[in-house]
Amino acid sequence: MVTIKEVAKEAGVSVATVSRVLNNKGGASSETIAHVENIIKKLNYKPNRLAKSLSEGNSNLIAFLVPTLNNPFFPELIKEVERYANKNGFHILLCNSDDDRAKVEYYLEAMMDQYVSGAIINSLHVGPSDLAVLEERGIRTITIDRTNFEHSYSAITVDHSLGAQLAVTHLLRDEQCNNLVFISGPKNEKSAIDRLTGFTLALNEAEHPVKTTICYGDFGIESGYENAKALIQKGQTFDSIFCANDAMAIGAMRACHEFGIQIPGEVKIVGYDNVSLSSYTYPPLSSVDQCKHDIGKLAVSELIDLINNKNQKPKQYQLEPSLVIRNSSGGNRHV
């Protein structure tokens, strides 16, 4: 890679002169400017954007730490965040932690080494002390959902308890289900705990007796498939399944198809996330929409405000999800 020093040497001028030409700051004759521009083109020199940003005291790089790329919700959220960031002149440094604290520590260091201006954090393994270190280094932060909401920095969360209530109430009240399986996320995962809370609240409000079974998955397709398959193989009967995310719901649908169980005729299924794929499953999957478009836009706009105004106080937001009802649970409507 050609350096600015090599351009200066080839052009027979100082590095400062090349820098002035690159930044249109004058200070040289028109002949010198034309000569330097020809050398830049000849050597195919590309300025270091990061160095330029740092010299101007403004990096246009935002880090986005996500817990996994296996759950289809996160690639879709990344796309939303990147779209809004790019519209505002920022670029994304993607950090996939795989829910591994060692990888989280590596990426936290990388954020500081890469001189990012801000960081959007979505991870179980980032705590208030980590956020404090980033903020002390001048990296403004906003957390999303999985990160502990109980800190003093900017944060966005979704009311997952409400989302689960909407899904379960739909199955119990609208579809008159009375034998419900809940395939939850991991026991120690905050959003999974919130969804379990909503599941319980909906049961407490049920107008008829409901038999329930709770299984625990890892938010992956395979865990939804294996949980549903195990129940079917044991001979357990049920008329509905609510899954804590769409990936596990898609796995549960696969298990039902393999054993000839009709959806929604014999078993009604609702997922959570409303990923794009949920519209294309067979049958199309009912799902709780947790506002990824709003999350992406709000996270970026809030973070940019924090970056541009060092004295701005952090804000914390809670978004309300909605239920999109499709054929997997009996219909097509939005609640």
Side-chain angles (χ1 to χ4, degrees), residues 280-296:
Y280 298 94
T281 58
Y282 182 77
L285 177 65
S286 295
S287 183
V288 176
D289 188 320
Q290 64 159 312
C291 329
K292 60 179 174 286
H293 302 290
D294 294 334
I295 292 172

Side-chain angles (χ1 to χ4, degrees), residues 178-182 199 203 210-214 236:
N178 56 28
N179 192 343
L180 174 61
V181 171
F182 177 37
F199 169 82
L203 289 177
V210 181
K211 181 180 178 181
T212 60
T213 301
I214 299 176
Q236 183 168 331

Side-chain angles (χ1 to χ4, degrees), residues 130-178:
D130 298 312
L131 300 177
V133 170
L134 292 175
E135 292 277 350
E136 287 167 5
R137 293 288 294 270
I139 299 172
R140 305 310 302 270
T141 64
I142 185 166
T143 64
I144 297 177
D145 224 22
R146 282 191 172 195
T147 310
N148 192 328
F149 197 64
E150 296 176 358
H151 57 72
S152 59
Y153 306 104
S154 287
I156 301 170
T157 191
V158 176
D159 189 345
H160 295 300
S161 176
L162 173 61
Q165 278 186 276
L166 291 172
V168 176
T169 299
H170 161 63
L171 291 170
L172 301 184
R173 184 189 63 199
D174 301 339
E175 302 301 328
Q176 293 297 300
C177 298
N178 56 28

Side-chain angles (χ1 to χ4, degrees), residues 101-119:
R101 174 61 193 182
K103 289 189 73 173
V104 167
E105 291 176 357
Y106 169 82
Y107 282 124
L108 292 175
E109 288 290 336
M111 290 176 199
M112 292 182 277
D113 290 343
Q114 293 293 328
Y115 298 97
V116 300
S117 290

